[in-house]
Amino acid sequence: MKTIRSMVLVSSDPISLQRGAQGVFDRLQAEIKTYGLDEEVSLAMIGDVGRHDALPLVIVYPEAAVYGPVTVEDVHTLVEEHLYKGRIAVDLQASNRELSGKIAWLNTRKGTLPAEQRIVLRRAGIIDPTNIEDYILHDGYTALGKALTESTPTQVIDEIKKSGLRGRGGAGFPTGTKWGFVAKEKSAKKYVICNADESEPGTFKDRLILEGDPHSIIEALALAAYAVGADEGYIYIRGEYTLAQERFKLAILQAKEMGFLGQNIFGTAFNFDLHIHSGAGAYICGEETALLESIEGKRGQPRTRPPFPTTHGLFGKPTLVNNVETLANVPPILLNGATWYRSFGTLSSPGTKVYTILGNVNVTGLIEVPMGITLREVIAIYAKGMKGGENFKMAQTGGSSGSIIPASLQDTPMDFDSFGKAGVALGSGALLICNEDTCVVDLAKVLLNFFRTESCGKCFPCRIGTQRAWEMLDAIASGRATLKTLDQLMELSTNLYNLSYCGLGQTAGTPLKDILTHFRAEVEAHIRLGVCPAGVCNTKEAVH
Amino acid sequence: MATIKSLDDLTRIRKEVLEKRKAKAAAGQIEVIVGMGTCGIAAGARDTMKAILEDIQNNNRVGIVVKQTGCIGLCEKEPIVQVVIGNQPMVNYGKVTPGVARQILADHVADGKVVQNHVILL
Amino acid sequence: MPVATMKSNKVQEAVNAAIDRHGVTRDELIPILNQVNQALGFLPAEALSEISQRLKEPRSSVLGVASFYHMLSTKPRGRHVIQFCESAPCHVVGGREVWETLQESLKLAPEETSPDGKWTLVTTSCLGICGVGPVIIIDEDVYGNLTADKIPDILARYS
Ligand SMILES: Cc1cc2nc3c(=O)[nH]c(=O)nc-3n(C[C@H](O)[C@H](O)[C@H](O)COP(=O)(O)O)c2cc1C
């Protein structure tokens, strides 16, 4: 696996390109290869980062060194000095006096490495997912073979605990701890379940893994089963993911045929059987207890907790539920060790995180980067800037249960704890990036429409609250609201959080709170002035 | 394929597969790989795949293996097609419409000339 | 809640096929309903009664499940079902215009079926194909990167 140590960025705004940035890029690529550094240095173009006086710029992480203006002739020295010998090429640095403008943020990012580091996605889009040979060729099933023949279940759990892996299904719960809970239950029957109901708007990382690398999840589930003492597993794939289901079905057949599933796996006493359960269209079934209900053939409505699934889960038996991305981390951790895993990300959130980049940006798609990257870095490096050079207004993270993040928070490192401190949620890793043509009221309305549609109806605070919230937002958007509506909205947000039965209703109020905290003036403009500043809402119904 | 009963079995199978692949690459086998995740398909990968298969048949191109892979996460550039000729490094193409696919087969696969304006960096 | 009916041998056939494949245990209820829904286009009252008898589950609980999940329908649908994704990622990149064009070209409101039984138009929550949004799914075909002007051509592919 490629392990990235340095990241080199070349500015690619129109002025840089005019001054030969492409030539600099090409030469960098060639020199990096010549020095045999291409397995550890990642090279990319970056959009407009300011410093128009010193273009084209070459920025090198983790030192956050800024070089400029760089010519093709400078590249050789730069690569030899900085990347090969590891010391800053002082003569080529942009002068301190000029260190102003947008890249001032780089100083605070010294020591970080926002380069793509693919661990869970290392095979997606590389191997043929319908061919088990491809998987085996890329280290497949080695972690399982090693664990079964060389480690005890306790050793496996300890390694996962040491790695610091935290759940990627939204809550960030420590994975090793959860495995320990299930392992210590005394029961002849236990289950492991992969939660592949992925329905957070804007999230499709799990689909990419399932479609592109299904065997990695089979291997991870077998490892989890071995660790917690289960012999049967389910993967709950949302009904709309037909391709993922097909690929997974085929993968299970292949794994059975080769003996990675079934009886006496790797010639040991370990048996493991795996079933697919298709969802039928219900966001709430991603909530783990609703998911259990759904597998049992019932309406997908959450159960009361406690008892937790780890003690009373599927058919009343101790059950482990993990997200797809969480599980995809397991085989590489066991193969390379917890210490290796901890070399990525931050102390409290080790490893990488997969983000989906969407919205008004130049390049949409999916990236896997170390925990702790900032929104500004994502937009500049991976999204290649805002579409049409527009201004960044806000981002919506983590699907609907994430937060609306104003531009002022774009330098906050994206990891569980830093985000928690800033009062925002990382959620499922969707980054919906919006420009100033997006109206916060309209966006909140779309989000609340999602919640009122997907509310399962079990508890009334959520069932009625999400509907009322949508109605109030609709009133604001169409100019029918008064300032009092805003107080009611804030109260409703708090009530949804305090009174709802499960995470769906609890997080439904987040967008309400976010827009009133960060964008109050814009919301009030709809009411006080009867205009939508972004020009999206039709406030004509206003009664003046 | 044989059942795996030990780590040694696994290592052996991996070696066999690797040898097989190396032999094919040494013999100059050409691989055309189409990204067929849901995103790719939504952006037209099925049409691209069809055009590739038809073009291979219509022009009697031989020694080409057409494969599929999942999404690589570059939705913007879908449909994505990768070409590997023998031991040469892989070339990645983005926004491959049926027309571009035919051009890739004619220029790159048959004639060794990479279609530069559709090359993407992964 | 009204459940549409369907007087046809097909109902019995579809239920039999689904039960043969999945068995008669409670935890197979959703797969059974899914398969029958696919075979008949929706879940008529007759099918729900039959499934309830065969599984020895109260009819209310079978209906409860059938009406809970979005992919199951207790109303007849058109020959082609168009699902439009109404979630935020598609919305901010031009989904609204596509939605308006769809409704105008089909002369249908959400959840409606055309009088000739050809189209049913429904909205759906995120389908996870946001990277190429706005997105619609017609039957099993996914169309991404949509703009309003692509709609007529796409609709013309279906008869
Ligand atoms: C409304 C709601 C929806 C959820 N949807 C998902 C989902 O689609 N996928 C998922 O893995 N977890 C989802 N979760 C979180 C799960 O309940 C559970 O925490 C997770 O599967 C645990 O896996 P992890 O420890 O690997 O993160 C959802 C939670 C709530 C409250």
Side-chain angles (χ1 to χ4, degrees):
Chain A
M1 197 185 309
K2 266 190 179 184
T3 304
I4 303 299
R5 294 179 209 292
S6 298
M7 177 171 214
V8 181
L9 300 168
V10 182
S11 61
S12 66
D13 51 282
I15 305 173
S16 294
L17 289 173
Q18 199 193 333
R19 296 191 191 159
Q22 186 65 48
V24 170
F25 182 91
D26 292 344
R27 180 63 66 89
L28 272 166
Q29 203 174 19
E31 291 278 343
I32 288 170
K33 218 180 186 111
T34 312
Y35 279 95
L37 297 169
D38 42 335
E39 285 285 302
E40 51 191 85
V41 176
S42 117
L43 175 66
M45 291 271 200
I46 184 173
D48 187 352
V49 281
R51 296 301 305 276
H52 290 188
D53 40 355
L55 300 179
L57 300 173
V58 173
I59 300 167
V60 185
Y61 281 94
E63 294 82 4
V66 182
Y67 298 103
V70 177
T71 64
V72 175
E73 290 71 40
D74 296 333
V75 171
H76 175 77
T77 319
L78 202 160
V79 172
E80 185 175 78
E81 285 297 308
H82 192 147
L83 297 176
Y84 188 68
K85 295 183 181 162
R87 49 193 189 210
I88 291 182
V90 182
D91 293 349
L92 298 175
Q93 264 182 304
S95 66
N96 255 335
R97 182 179 54 78
E98 291 170 324
L99 254 178
S100 61
K102 293 186 193 163
I103 55 169
W105 54 277
L106 267 178
N107 269 332
T108 61
R109 299 294 294 150
K110 266 200 180 101
T112 64
L113 193 62
E116 266 228 77
Q117 176 67 52
R118 291 198 165 203
I119 296 175
V120 306
L121 293 177
R122 68 199 177 286
R123 298 190 205 89
I126 306 286
I127 65 165
D128 181 349
T130 59
N131 187 341
I132 192 170
E133 283 187 359
D134 268 31
Y135 183 69
I136 293 176
L137 202 54
H138 289 80
D139 293 336
Y141 290 112
T142 312
L144 180 63
K146 284 212 164 122
L148 292 186
T149 55
E150 296 168 6
S151 313
T152 63
T154 315
Q155 284 171 326
V156 172
I157 295 181
D158 284 346
E159 198 65 23
I160 297 295
K161 276 188 184 157
K162 257 195 277 170
S163 76
L165 175 64
R166 294 169 70 166
R168 305 293 199 248
F173 192 84
T175 306
T177 310
K178 200 194 275 184
W179 287 24
F181 288 158
V182 182
K184 77 167 195 274
E185 286 301 311
K186 300 215 179 340
S187 167
K189 188 76 193 173
K190 294 180 193 175
Y191 293 97
V192 292
I193 295 178
C194 173
N195 185 345
D197 190 50
E198 186 170 66
S199 323
E200 286 283 9
T203 313
F204 49 92
K205 61 188 177 74
D206 297 347
R207 173 173 65 73
L208 219 83
I209 299 171
L210 296 174
E211 286 179 1
D213 196 11
H215 282 285
S216 68
I217 300 303
I218 296 181
E219 182 174 5
L221 278 169
L223 283 163
Y226 176 65
V228 303
D231 64 353
E232 198 171 350
Y234 281 85
I235 176 164
Y236 187 99
I237 308 183
R238 73 178 285 198
E240 291 85 348
Y241 280 3
T242 40
L243 188 64
Q245 292 189 5
E246 272 169 40
R247 297 250 165 98
F248 214 87
K249 255 180 218 154
L250 181 66
I252 288 184
L253 284 180
Q254 293 169 339
K256 274 198 179 134
E257 201 176 316
M258 292 194 70
F260 300 122
L261 287 175
Q263 306 289 311
N264 302 112
I265 300 170
F266 276 97
T268 67
F270 174 63
N271 307 329
F272 182 56
D273 234 343
L274 183 57
H275 318 281
I276 299 183
H277 188 99
S278 167
Y283 164 71
I284 186 63
C285 289
E287 197 283 332
E288 57 190 14
T289 60
L291 183 149
L292 299 175
E293 290 285 295
S294 185
I295 295 184
E296 292 180 7
K298 303 179 197 148
R299 289 164 74 96
Q301 291 179 321
R303 298 177 179 171
T304 314
R305 298 187 306 177
F308 290 94
T310 47
T311 59
H312 294 76
L314 189 62
F315 305 116
K317 304 292 178 207
T319 302
L320 174 75
V321 184
N322 272 135
N323 167 260
V324 175
E325 188 189 344
T326 315
L327 286 170
N329 278 294
V330 168
I333 291 175
L334 294 177
L335 205 54
N336 303 300
T339 316
W340 165 84
Y341 191 72
R342 279 197 170 272
S343 68
F344 308 105
T346 64
L347 197 62
S348 63
S349 308
T352 57
K353 178 82 194 80
V354 182
Y355 294 100
T356 44
I357 308 175
L358 306 160
N360 311 119
V361 291
N362 285 320
V363 177
T364 57
L366 196 142
I367 55 168
E368 179 176 354
V369 284
M371 284 274 189
I373 192 174
T374 64
L375 204 48
R376 189 193 296 273
E377 285 166 330
V378 169
I379 296 174
I381 301 171
Y382 297 101
K384 306 289 177 219
M386 300 295 293
K387 211 168 221 163
E390 302 250 357
N391 283 332
F392 167 59
K393 175 173 179 178
M394 62 188 163
Q396 216 264 319
T397 67
S400 286
S401 47
S403 300
I404 295 176
I405 304 203
S408 59
L409 286 179
Q410 62 179 318
D411 292 318
T412 308
M414 296 199 283
D415 58 68
F416 293 114
D417 294 343
S418 308
F419 257 39
K421 264 186 221 137
V424 285
L426 194 56
S428 59
L431 298 173
L432 176 58
I433 295 162
C434 303
N435 63 19
E436 284 167 345
D437 291 340
T438 315
C439 166
V440 292
V441 177
D442 184 59
L443 181 67
K445 211 175 112 183
V446 172
L447 298 176
L448 262 298
N449 183 49
F450 173 80
F451 287 123
R452 70 172 182 153
T453 314
E454 298 296 342
S455 172
C456 80
K458 176 165 177 153
C459 72
F460 74 85
C462 170
R463 182 177 69 232
I464 302 173
T466 51
Q467 173 67 21
R468 285 290 172 272
W470 183 86
E471 287 166 5
M472 287 183 206
L473 288 166
D474 189 51
I476 298 173
S478 53
R480 285 182 280 111
T482 63
L483 287 175
K484 206 168 151 222
T485 313
L486 302 188
D487 298 336
Q488 291 167 338
L489 258 186
M490 202 61 173
E491 196 184 333
L492 186 53
S493 165
T494 313
N495 286 342
L496 273 166
Y497 181 76
N498 288 333
L499 304 176
S500 296
Y501 198 79
C502 84
L504 195 157
Q506 288 160 12
T507 52
T510 313
L512 309 175
K513 186 173 64 68
D514 288 346
I515 64 168
L516 290 175
T517 312
H518 303 300
F519 298 97
R520 180 121 192 161
E522 184 179 343
V523 180
E524 285 192 4
H526 289 74
I527 299 169
R528 288 178 189 273
L529 311 172
V531 292
C532 169
V536 175
C537 305
N538 180 4
T539 49
K540 273 200 222 93
E541 292 175 46
V543 195
H544 289 293
Chain B
M1 206 185 264
T3 355
I4 307 284
K5 279 287 155 214
S6 66
L7 262 180
D8 289 343
D9 284 357
L10 185 65
T11 317
R12 190 172 37 76
I13 293 249
R14 184 172 296 132
K15 250 194 213 128
E16 281 170 21
V17 174
L18 193 63
E19 292 304 319
K20 208 164 65 185
R21 301 261 162 119
K22 269 195 192 144
K24 280 191 186 156
Q29 171 182 276
I30 299 165
E31 281 187 10
V32 176
I33 306 157
V34 185
M36 294 281 272
T38 305
C39 280
I41 292 171
R46 277 205 210 284
D47 292 338
T48 303
M49 178 66 112
K50 209 166 105 208
I52 292 172
L53 295 174
E54 280 170 5
D55 188 90
I56 290 176
Q57 192 160 39
N58 294 345
N59 295 298
N60 292 321
R61 303 191 194 279
V62 288
I64 302 174
V65 179
V66 180
K67 292 183 72 179
Q68 59 175 349
T69 185
C71 290
I72 199 155
L74 260 181
C75 313
E76 193 75 22
K77 298 282 193 277
E78 296 283 1
I80 293 176
V81 171
Q82 307 169 319
V83 177
V84 190
I85 301 182
N87 286 320
Q88 297 170 26
M90 175 184 280
V91 178
N92 301 291
Y93 292 105
K95 297 211 186 250
V96 183
T97 58
V100 176
R102 283 188 283 271
Q103 194 191 348
I104 292 171
L105 288 171
D107 293 2
H108 184 178
V109 172
D111 215 11
K113 289 200 292 269
V114 174
V115 183
Q116 286 299 349
N117 56 344
H118 279 272
V119 171
I120 52 167
L121 259 175
L122 292 185
Chain C
M1 199 175 108
V3 179
T5 56
M6 184 176 188
K7 304 261 175 286
S8 157
N9 300 340
K10 277 201 220 142
V11 173
Q12 190 67 42
E13 280 167 27
V15 173
N16 285 345
I19 287 181
D20 284 349
R21 177 154 162 228
H22 299 287
V24 287
T25 50
R26 170 71 200 235
D27 55 315
E28 294 297 340
L29 177 58
I30 296 170
I32 291 171
L33 291 175
N34 241 332
Q35 188 175 331
V36 174
N37 193 89
Q38 264 168 23
L40 303 176
F42 75 110
L43 294 166
E46 291 82 355
L48 296 179
S49 300
E50 178 68 18
I51 293 169
S52 124
Q53 276 170 18
R54 301 278 291 272
L55 263 61
K56 300 195 175 56
E57 282 290 328
R59 206 172 161 278
S60 62
S61 95
V62 174
L63 178 62
V65 171
S67 58
F68 184 82
Y69 294 95
H70 301 310
M71 288 172 72
L72 304 174
S73 175
T74 49
K75 274 196 303 197
R77 292 193 156 179
R79 284 200 303 287
H80 304 293
V81 179
I82 305 183
Q83 301 182 61
F84 169 81
C85 168
E86 60 173 352
S87 287
C90 284
H91 182 82
V92 303
V93 294
R96 248 180 329 147
E97 290 79 26
V98 171
W99 177 232
E100 274 154 25
T101 312
L102 261 180
Q103 294 183 88
E104 276 164 30
S105 343
L106 296 165
K107 302 202 172 46
L108 289 178
E111 303 300 326
E112 273 184 3
T113 299
S114 58
D116 60 358
K118 180 172 177 185
W119 300 109
T120 297
L121 180 64
V122 297
T123 55
T124 167
S125 297
C126 182
L127 296 160
I129 326 169
C130 331
V132 292
V135 178
I136 59 170
I137 297 190
I138 305 185
D139 303 334
E140 309 246 289
D141 308 330
V142 187
Y143 298 94
N145 295 324
L146 280 185
T147 46
D149 55 316
K150 289 185 187 164
I151 301 289
D153 277 352
I154 292 174
L155 294 183
R157 296 185 195 187
Y158 296 83
S159 57

